[in-house]
Amino acid sequence: MTERLETYFQSQRETHLAELQRFIAIPSISSQPAYKDSLIQCAHYTADLLHHAGMEHVTVLETGGHPIIYGDWLHAPESPTVLIYGHYDVQPPEPLEAWHHPPFEPIIRDGKLYGRGASDNKGQIYLHIRSLEAWLKTTGHLPVNVKFLIEGEEEIGSPRLLPYLETHLTRFQADLVVISDTAMLGENQPAVCYGLRGLVGFRIEVRGPSTDLPSGGVYGGAVQNPIHALVQLLASMRDEHGRITVDGFYADVIPPTPQEKAALAALPFDEEAMKARLQVKELFGEKGFTALERAWVRPTLEINGIVGGYYGESGKTIIPATACANVTCRLVPNQDPYKIMQQIEDHIRTHTPPGVTVTITEREAARPYVTPIDHPAIQLAASAYESAYGTRCYFIRAGGSIPVVETLSRLLQVPVVLMGFGLPDANVHGPNEYFSLDNFDKGLRTLVYYWRHLPDVWKKKSW
Amino acid sequence: MTERLETYFQSQRETHLAELQRFIAIPSISSQPAYKDSLIQCAHYTADLLHHAGMEHVTVLETGGHPIIYGDWLHAPESPTVLIYGHYDVQPPEPLEAWHHPPFEPIIRDGKLYGRGASDNKGQIYLHIRSLEAWLKTTGHLPVNVKFLIEGEEEIGSPRLLPYLETHLTRFQADLVVISDTAMLGENQPAVCYGLRGLVGFRIEVRGPSTDLPSGGVYGGAVQNPIHALVQLLASMRDEHGRITVDGFYADVIPPTPQEKAALAALPFDEEAMKARLQVKELFGEKGFTALERAWVRPTLEINGIVGGYYGESGKTIIPATACANVTCRLVPNQDPYKIMQQIEDHIRTHTPPGVTVTITEREAARPYVTPIDHPAIQLAASAYESAYGTRCYFIRAGGSIPVVETLSRLLQVPVVLMGFGLPDANVHGPNEYFSLDNFDKGLRTLVYYWRHLPDVWKKKSW
């Protein structure tokens, strides 16, 4: 990195961190209608960030939902065009009582910036904006052409992005997509992510009697209890060893190759350390696979939430009228979320206990995605990390889903490079989410290296 | 009934109903610490009711919990002494949104008085107070001696009543206990209840990882999900036909005799009408028993409430740190709640899935109870109903539990007569609880008949 850039980053560090904290302080919870105004406020804040960084044509695009932010800089005619994708919306912060500091009052402590969205994705998209601003401020130009696409509905499955992209594809056309919304392998263990799991999310609602009933009277024993029915239905979907028992669920799974299994086994992943960190006596899941394999190359079906009846500590002797559960499946190549959803609906239909009615509401769907590990744009990302971190970069997959990755790759017909700067224990969907300041600093330098060398890679491109 | 009493009830009806509404308006929710002051207010309101009705020695007895109200009238030396038990505490009203009118703003509509506690138990204990007041106001005396014991912890299992009774037994000694806290068979279908189920209630808490985790990352598939573990554990306790699969659960059950089965079958209970009322396609439960048998003479294990993770409609892709469920078993003679609890704990210990820790908290326990159906005090109750309702009275059992019934009978060594004036569909633990004004009116007249004739029955007593 040039001395001028280094000096710039150092001189601006406090200003940047303060600005990122203001970004995080906006409670842009896309899944909760009550926060609609905050989403709009956050959209405009994001647009201002792009504008002040030197991006042109900055626009808040109306989609019918939370807006998309666009901005570009297109004055490097010989160089490739990179589409940088990110999102300004965040997950709900609940349970609030588990946060040691309010989720929307970000605070820096022990080298970590705490707050909802600190890693996912405000901190990471902020690195992109500032890495480019630094180039522009210190040299007056950029080594690549860039377009920003920052949406506000990633955490609810990007429902309006696909239709919007389909009708405005030209605006976003690029040679490559770069996204920083994943985790590295660990502290000072940089990693390029070359695969993501897909997702299908749904809600099961079980209805029994028209009203809550006393569990005594003439009812307890005489009518089906919706919680029992739901519990039985959910238990029927997974065996005691963690294998999903929905017919056909694994039929299309492409198992990891021996080479990939070997590569996964070679990663410095410590199951004992994970157990200690999570305070569990043992890890758990499908037999015959390591924890990393289960999390990255095997599909899952997880109950994310369940509610029914009176769950206060004091108890209440009722048979409730309804019970609900939220479930998501993580999918791997070559599973199709719509086919999986159909298999689950079939399973529910054939396993619904008597005496209740079950309603299934599909909530989100995303296809799994893998980029070829030997793609030059992926290999360059590894070099960029190694330059900034001074240590070996790993190639990993991720257990999470970024629905837009597969969508962008398919629509634009270009590869997607996932350069994450989060950490596995950064609590990205839980309480006390944080962003490591070490990754804030090294992330800026990683990206600067990447922009500098991308044109050379592109000149030699042979894919 | 004497003309003077009839005239008295008619002239006082509006005053009585208004007073009962003020009684119901006090939110005496014993299970929620936030309502402690309301419980105290309600205790004093109850004491005032007794005092104004002409009871003597009215006292608010401190127990360390919600107080017990005592009052007596003991000036009929030749007559038996009746202990009238009731409770001024109520169940929580949640879910509030299911009430068509606020639960603590009672309202009369279409011959029904709506409000939490209207039937269970404020309306019914109120009938006792007013039936005796009417005697005293119109004649200056009572045909029997009476003692009132009105507690404030029935809905939380009467935890302080047993120790209090054990140390103050003389004060409550009587020849007979009368309780109105059960339901009749239906509208204008009076019934004496000669048996109650027992109860054991507990809470299961499943703990997994130390914090909520994303269902992606390196976690989804790698660690046990506490909701899955809870669901699997709960499903293991009941088979698909509704039979409880906890080892030894049915071992001590005394099955209904052929005569009792015949008597139950002869009751005008309409399963089709129940289905229609509850809006369910079918009733459900143990094979080989009718709905009434399942509700009255068979034990159950019901999940009353469950909660874990994020259960909002929008979803959240997490593996939660914990999941909880409240469970109660209804027990029949000769099941022992403590033995059943031990069997359940053993079951949970041997069925706990790997990767989680399970905590069981026992909440309440009550033994089942049956009074001999041919006891003269029971038979007189049937005559009293028939006199007031002008129709046949049935002998029934009930699926619910009034923990104090077995306690009072055992400690005082006397029979307990259950003369209920509730209705099966009065929503006593659910939203829109009500008390039928028809039963308000006929209940007063039933009780007056009972007090008048009890001394005669006692003179002839041969038990």
Side-chain angles (χ1 to χ4, degrees), chain B residues 349-391:
Chain B
R349 199 163 41 246
T350 55
H351 288 76
T352 294
V356 291
T357 312
V358 174
T359 312
I360 309 158
T361 310
E362 192 186 333
R363 222 176 39 225
E364 50 191 332
R367 291 188 175 84
Y369 179 70
V370 173
T371 319
I373 197 169
D374 56 357
H375 191 288
I378 292 277
Q379 293 295 323
L380 175 63
S383 303
Y385 277 116
E386 289 177 352
S387 150
Y389 284 79
T391 183

Short mmCIF file of all heavy atoms in Angstrom, two decimals, chain B residues 349-391:
data_model
loop_
_atom_site.label_atom_id
_atom_site.label_comp_id
_atom_site.label_asym_id
_atom_site.label_seq_id
_atom_site.Cartn_x
_atom_site.Cartn_y
_atom_site.Cartn_z
N ARG B 349 -34.68 -37.71 32.11
CA ARG B 349 -33.25 -38.00 32.26
C ARG B 349 -32.80 -39.00 31.19
O ARG B 349 -31.76 -38.83 30.57
CB ARG B 349 -32.95 -38.50 33.66
CG ARG B 349 -31.48 -38.37 34.04
CD ARG B 349 -31.23 -38.47 35.55
NE ARG B 349 -32.04 -39.49 36.18
CZ ARG B 349 -33.01 -39.25 37.08
NH1 ARG B 349 -33.26 -38.01 37.45
NH2 ARG B 349 -33.70 -40.22 37.61
N THR B 350 -33.60 -40.03 30.97
CA THR B 350 -33.16 -41.06 30.01
C THR B 350 -33.43 -40.66 28.56
O THR B 350 -32.91 -41.29 27.66
CB THR B 350 -33.85 -42.41 30.30
OG1 THR B 350 -35.26 -42.21 30.32
CG2 THR B 350 -33.41 -42.98 31.64
N HIS B 351 -34.25 -39.64 28.34
CA HIS B 351 -34.58 -39.25 26.96
C HIS B 351 -33.98 -37.91 26.54
O HIS B 351 -34.26 -37.43 25.45
CB HIS B 351 -36.10 -39.21 26.75
CG HIS B 351 -36.73 -40.56 26.71
ND1 HIS B 351 -36.96 -41.32 27.84
CD2 HIS B 351 -37.18 -41.31 25.67
CE1 HIS B 351 -37.53 -42.46 27.52
NE2 HIS B 351 -37.68 -42.49 26.21
N THR B 352 -33.20 -37.27 27.40
CA THR B 352 -32.62 -35.98 27.04
C THR B 352 -31.64 -36.15 25.87
O THR B 352 -30.71 -36.93 25.95
CB THR B 352 -31.88 -35.35 28.23
OG1 THR B 352 -32.84 -35.03 29.25
CG2 THR B 352 -31.15 -34.08 27.82
N PRO B 353 -31.88 -35.45 24.76
CA PRO B 353 -30.97 -35.55 23.61
C PRO B 353 -29.58 -35.01 23.96
O PRO B 353 -29.44 -34.20 24.88
CB PRO B 353 -31.66 -34.69 22.55
CG PRO B 353 -33.07 -34.57 22.98
CD PRO B 353 -33.02 -34.57 24.48
N PRO B 354 -28.57 -35.44 23.21
CA PRO B 354 -27.22 -34.95 23.48
C PRO B 354 -27.08 -33.47 23.15
O PRO B 354 -27.83 -32.92 22.35
CB PRO B 354 -26.34 -35.79 22.54
CG PRO B 354 -27.25 -36.36 21.52
CD PRO B 354 -28.61 -36.45 22.13
N GLY B 355 -26.12 -32.82 23.80
CA GLY B 355 -25.78 -31.43 23.44
C GLY B 355 -26.56 -30.37 24.17
O GLY B 355 -26.38 -29.18 23.90
N VAL B 356 -27.46 -30.76 25.09
CA VAL B 356 -28.22 -29.78 25.86
C VAL B 356 -28.29 -30.20 27.32
O VAL B 356 -28.04 -31.35 27.66
CB VAL B 356 -29.68 -29.61 25.33
CG1 VAL B 356 -29.69 -28.95 23.97
CG2 VAL B 356 -30.41 -30.94 25.31
N THR B 357 -28.65 -29.24 28.17
CA THR B 357 -28.87 -29.51 29.59
C THR B 357 -30.34 -29.23 29.88
O THR B 357 -30.88 -28.22 29.42
CB THR B 357 -28.02 -28.55 30.45
OG1 THR B 357 -26.69 -28.55 29.93
CG2 THR B 357 -28.01 -28.98 31.89
N VAL B 358 -30.99 -30.11 30.62
CA VAL B 358 -32.41 -29.94 30.92
C VAL B 358 -32.61 -29.72 32.41
O VAL B 358 -32.03 -30.42 33.23
CB VAL B 358 -33.22 -31.17 30.45
CG1 VAL B 358 -34.68 -31.05 30.90
CG2 VAL B 358 -33.13 -31.33 28.95
N THR B 359 -33.41 -28.70 32.74
CA THR B 359 -33.77 -28.44 34.14
C THR B 359 -35.28 -28.62 34.28
O THR B 359 -36.05 -28.13 33.45
CB THR B 359 -33.42 -26.98 34.53
OG1 THR B 359 -32.08 -26.72 34.12
CG2 THR B 359 -33.54 -26.78 36.03
N ILE B 360 -35.69 -29.31 35.33
CA ILE B 360 -37.12 -29.52 35.59
C ILE B 360 -37.47 -28.79 36.88
O ILE B 360 -36.79 -28.94 37.89
CB ILE B 360 -37.44 -31.01 35.77
CG1 ILE B 360 -36.88 -31.82 34.60
CG2 ILE B 360 -38.94 -31.23 35.90
CD1 ILE B 360 -36.69 -33.29 34.95
N THR B 361 -38.50 -27.96 36.84
CA THR B 361 -38.96 -27.28 38.05
C THR B 361 -40.39 -27.72 38.33
O THR B 361 -41.30 -27.46 37.54
CB THR B 361 -38.94 -25.75 37.85
OG1 THR B 361 -37.66 -25.38 37.33
CG2 THR B 361 -39.19 -25.03 39.16
N GLU B 362 -40.58 -28.38 39.47
CA GLU B 362 -41.93 -28.81 39.83
C GLU B 362 -42.69 -27.60 40.34
O GLU B 362 -42.15 -26.79 41.09
CB GLU B 362 -41.86 -29.88 40.92
CG GLU B 362 -43.20 -30.55 41.12
CD GLU B 362 -43.19 -31.52 42.30
OE1 GLU B 362 -42.11 -32.05 42.62
OE2 GLU B 362 -44.25 -31.72 42.88
N ARG B 363 -43.95 -27.46 39.92
CA ARG B 363 -44.67 -26.24 40.23
C ARG B 363 -45.85 -26.49 41.17
O ARG B 363 -46.17 -25.66 42.00
CB ARG B 363 -45.15 -25.61 38.94
CG ARG B 363 -44.99 -24.11 38.90
CD ARG B 363 -45.39 -23.59 37.55
NE ARG B 363 -46.55 -24.31 37.06
CZ ARG B 363 -46.69 -24.77 35.83
NH1 ARG B 363 -45.76 -24.55 34.95
NH2 ARG B 363 -47.76 -25.42 35.47
N GLU B 364 -46.55 -27.57 40.98
CA GLU B 364 -47.73 -27.81 41.81
C GLU B 364 -48.06 -29.29 41.79
O GLU B 364 -47.70 -30.00 40.85
CB GLU B 364 -48.92 -27.00 41.29
CG GLU B 364 -49.16 -27.15 39.80
CD GLU B 364 -50.18 -26.16 39.27
OE1 GLU B 364 -51.05 -25.74 40.03
OE2 GLU B 364 -50.10 -25.84 38.07
N ALA B 365 -48.74 -29.73 42.81
CA ALA B 365 -49.14 -31.13 42.91
C ALA B 365 -50.42 -31.22 43.71
O ALA B 365 -50.60 -30.50 44.69
CB ALA B 365 -48.04 -31.95 43.58
N ALA B 366 -51.35 -32.06 43.28
CA ALA B 366 -52.60 -32.27 44.01
C ALA B 366 -53.05 -33.70 43.77
O ALA B 366 -52.95 -34.21 42.65
CB ALA B 366 -53.67 -31.30 43.52
N ARG B 367 -53.55 -34.31 44.82
CA ARG B 367 -54.04 -35.68 44.68
C ARG B 367 -55.46 -35.67 44.10
O ARG B 367 -56.23 -34.75 44.34
CB ARG B 367 -54.05 -36.37 46.04
CG ARG B 367 -52.67 -36.65 46.59
CD ARG B 367 -52.76 -37.53 47.84
NE ARG B 367 -51.42 -37.89 48.29
CZ ARG B 367 -50.66 -37.11 49.07
NH1 ARG B 367 -51.13 -35.95 49.49
NH2 ARG B 367 -49.45 -37.50 49.43
N PRO B 368 -55.80 -36.71 43.36
CA PRO B 368 -57.18 -36.84 42.89
C PRO B 368 -58.12 -37.13 44.07
O PRO B 368 -57.66 -37.48 45.15
CB PRO B 368 -57.11 -38.05 41.94
CG PRO B 368 -55.90 -38.82 42.38
CD PRO B 368 -54.94 -37.83 42.94
N TYR B 369 -59.42 -36.95 43.88
CA TYR B 369 -60.38 -37.12 44.98
C TYR B 369 -61.72 -37.62 44.45
O TYR B 369 -62.20 -37.17 43.42
CB TYR B 369 -60.59 -35.78 45.69
CG TYR B 369 -61.59 -35.86 46.81
CD1 TYR B 369 -61.29 -36.56 47.98
CD2 TYR B 369 -62.85 -35.28 46.70
CE1 TYR B 369 -62.20 -36.66 49.01
CE2 TYR B 369 -63.77 -35.37 47.73
CZ TYR B 369 -63.45 -36.07 48.89
OH TYR B 369 -64.36 -36.17 49.90
N VAL B 370 -62.32 -38.54 45.21
CA VAL B 370 -63.68 -39.00 44.89
C VAL B 370 -64.48 -39.08 46.19
O VAL B 370 -63.99 -39.59 47.19
CB VAL B 370 -63.67 -40.38 44.19
CG1 VAL B 370 -65.08 -40.91 44.04
CG2 VAL B 370 -63.01 -40.29 42.83
N THR B 371 -65.70 -38.53 46.17
CA THR B 371 -66.64 -38.69 47.30
C THR B 371 -67.58 -39.83 46.97
O THR B 371 -68.01 -39.95 45.82
CB THR B 371 -67.55 -37.45 47.46
OG1 THR B 371 -66.78 -36.28 47.26
CG2 THR B 371 -68.22 -37.43 48.82
N PRO B 372 -67.95 -40.66 47.95
CA PRO B 372 -68.93 -41.73 47.63
C PRO B 372 -70.20 -41.12 47.05
O PRO B 372 -70.77 -40.19 47.63
CB PRO B 372 -69.18 -42.41 48.98
CG PRO B 372 -67.98 -42.09 49.80
CD PRO B 372 -67.52 -40.73 49.35
N ILE B 373 -70.62 -41.66 45.94
CA ILE B 373 -71.78 -41.09 45.22
C ILE B 373 -73.07 -41.20 46.03
O ILE B 373 -73.99 -40.41 45.84
CB ILE B 373 -71.89 -41.79 43.84
CG1 ILE B 373 -72.78 -40.98 42.89
CG2 ILE B 373 -72.37 -43.21 43.98
CD1 ILE B 373 -72.70 -41.49 41.46
N ASP B 374 -73.14 -42.17 46.97
CA ASP B 374 -74.39 -42.38 47.71
C ASP B 374 -74.40 -41.67 49.07
O ASP B 374 -75.28 -41.89 49.89
CB ASP B 374 -74.63 -43.88 47.91
CG ASP B 374 -73.47 -44.56 48.60
OD1 ASP B 374 -72.45 -43.86 48.87
OD2 ASP B 374 -73.55 -45.77 48.87
N HIS B 375 -73.44 -40.79 49.29
CA HIS B 375 -73.41 -40.05 50.56
C HIS B 375 -74.64 -39.14 50.63
O HIS B 375 -74.97 -38.45 49.66
CB HIS B 375 -72.13 -39.23 50.63
CG HIS B 375 -71.88 -38.65 52.00
ND1 HIS B 375 -72.62 -37.63 52.53
CD2 HIS B 375 -70.98 -38.99 52.95
CE1 HIS B 375 -72.19 -37.35 53.74
NE2 HIS B 375 -71.17 -38.18 54.02
N PRO B 376 -75.37 -39.13 51.81
CA PRO B 376 -76.61 -38.32 51.90
C PRO B 376 -76.41 -36.85 51.59
O PRO B 376 -77.31 -36.20 51.04
CB PRO B 376 -77.03 -38.53 53.37
CG PRO B 376 -76.42 -39.82 53.77
CD PRO B 376 -75.13 -39.94 53.02
N ALA B 377 -75.24 -36.30 51.93
CA ALA B 377 -74.99 -34.88 51.64
C ALA B 377 -74.88 -34.63 50.14
O ALA B 377 -75.18 -33.53 49.65
CB ALA B 377 -73.72 -34.42 52.35
N ILE B 378 -74.43 -35.65 49.42
CA ILE B 378 -74.36 -35.59 47.96
C ILE B 378 -75.77 -35.73 47.38
O ILE B 378 -76.17 -34.97 46.47
CB ILE B 378 -73.46 -36.74 47.42
CG1 ILE B 378 -71.99 -36.53 47.81
CG2 ILE B 378 -73.64 -36.94 45.92
CD1 ILE B 378 -71.23 -35.61 46.92
N GLN B 379 -76.50 -36.67 47.91
CA GLN B 379 -77.87 -36.89 47.42
C GLN B 379 -78.75 -35.67 47.67
O GLN B 379 -79.58 -35.31 46.83
CB GLN B 379 -78.47 -38.14 48.10
CG GLN B 379 -77.76 -39.46 47.69
CD GLN B 379 -77.94 -39.78 46.20
OE1 GLN B 379 -79.00 -39.53 45.62
NE2 GLN B 379 -76.89 -40.31 45.58
N LEU B 380 -78.56 -35.01 48.83
CA LEU B 380 -79.34 -33.80 49.12
C LEU B 380 -79.01 -32.69 48.11
O LEU B 380 -79.89 -31.93 47.70
CB LEU B 380 -79.06 -33.30 50.55
CG LEU B 380 -79.73 -31.96 50.91
CD1 LEU B 380 -81.26 -32.09 50.85
CD2 LEU B 380 -79.27 -31.46 52.27
N ALA B 381 -77.75 -32.63 47.73
CA ALA B 381 -77.35 -31.61 46.74
C ALA B 381 -78.15 -31.81 45.45
O ALA B 381 -78.63 -30.85 44.84
CB ALA B 381 -75.85 -31.68 46.47
N ALA B 382 -78.32 -33.08 45.05
CA ALA B 382 -79.09 -33.36 43.84
C ALA B 382 -80.53 -32.89 44.00
O ALA B 382 -81.12 -32.28 43.09
CB ALA B 382 -79.03 -34.85 43.52
N SER B 383 -81.12 -33.14 45.19
CA SER B 383 -82.50 -32.69 45.43
C SER B 383 -82.59 -31.17 45.37
O SER B 383 -83.56 -30.61 44.84
CB SER B 383 -82.96 -33.16 46.81
OG SER B 383 -82.86 -34.56 46.91
N ALA B 384 -81.59 -30.49 45.91
CA ALA B 384 -81.59 -29.03 45.91
C ALA B 384 -81.58 -28.49 44.48
O ALA B 384 -82.34 -27.59 44.12
CB ALA B 384 -80.38 -28.51 46.68
N TYR B 385 -80.69 -29.07 43.64
CA TYR B 385 -80.66 -28.66 42.23
C TYR B 385 -82.01 -28.89 41.57
O TYR B 385 -82.52 -28.04 40.84
CB TYR B 385 -79.61 -29.48 41.47
CG TYR B 385 -78.18 -29.01 41.56
CD1 TYR B 385 -77.21 -29.79 42.16
CD2 TYR B 385 -77.79 -27.80 40.99
CE1 TYR B 385 -75.88 -29.40 42.21
CE2 TYR B 385 -76.46 -27.40 41.03
CZ TYR B 385 -75.50 -28.19 41.64
OH TYR B 385 -74.19 -27.80 41.67
N GLU B 386 -82.57 -30.09 41.80
CA GLU B 386 -83.83 -30.44 41.12
C GLU B 386 -84.95 -29.50 41.54
O GLU B 386 -85.79 -29.12 40.73
CB GLU B 386 -84.17 -31.92 41.39
CG GLU B 386 -83.19 -32.81 40.62
CD GLU B 386 -83.36 -34.32 40.85
OE1 GLU B 386 -84.15 -34.70 41.73
OE2 GLU B 386 -82.69 -35.09 40.14
N SER B 387 -84.92 -29.09 42.82
CA SER B 387 -85.93 -28.15 43.30
C SER B 387 -85.80 -26.80 42.59
O SER B 387 -86.80 -26.21 42.17
CB SER B 387 -85.76 -27.99 44.82
OG SER B 387 -86.17 -26.72 45.24
N ALA B 388 -84.58 -26.30 42.44
CA ALA B 388 -84.39 -24.97 41.87
C ALA B 388 -84.48 -24.96 40.35
O ALA B 388 -84.97 -24.00 39.75
CB ALA B 388 -83.05 -24.40 42.32
N TYR B 389 -84.00 -26.03 39.71
CA TYR B 389 -83.95 -26.05 38.25
C TYR B 389 -85.17 -26.73 37.64
O TYR B 389 -85.40 -26.60 36.43
CB TYR B 389 -82.66 -26.76 37.77
CG TYR B 389 -81.42 -25.91 37.91
CD1 TYR B 389 -80.79 -25.75 39.14
CD2 TYR B 389 -80.88 -25.24 36.81
CE1 TYR B 389 -79.66 -24.96 39.27
CE2 TYR B 389 -79.74 -24.44 36.93
CZ TYR B 389 -79.14 -24.31 38.17
OH TYR B 389 -78.03 -23.53 38.30
N GLY B 390 -85.90 -27.50 38.45
CA GLY B 390 -87.09 -28.18 37.93
C GLY B 390 -86.74 -29.25 36.91
O GLY B 390 -87.53 -29.54 36.00
N THR B 391 -85.57 -29.83 37.03
CA THR B 391 -85.15 -30.85 36.07
C THR B 391 -84.22 -31.83 36.77
O THR B 391 -83.74 -31.56 37.87
CB THR B 391 -84.45 -30.20 34.85
OG1 THR B 391 -84.12 -31.21 33.91
CG2 THR B 391 -83.18 -29.47 35.28
#
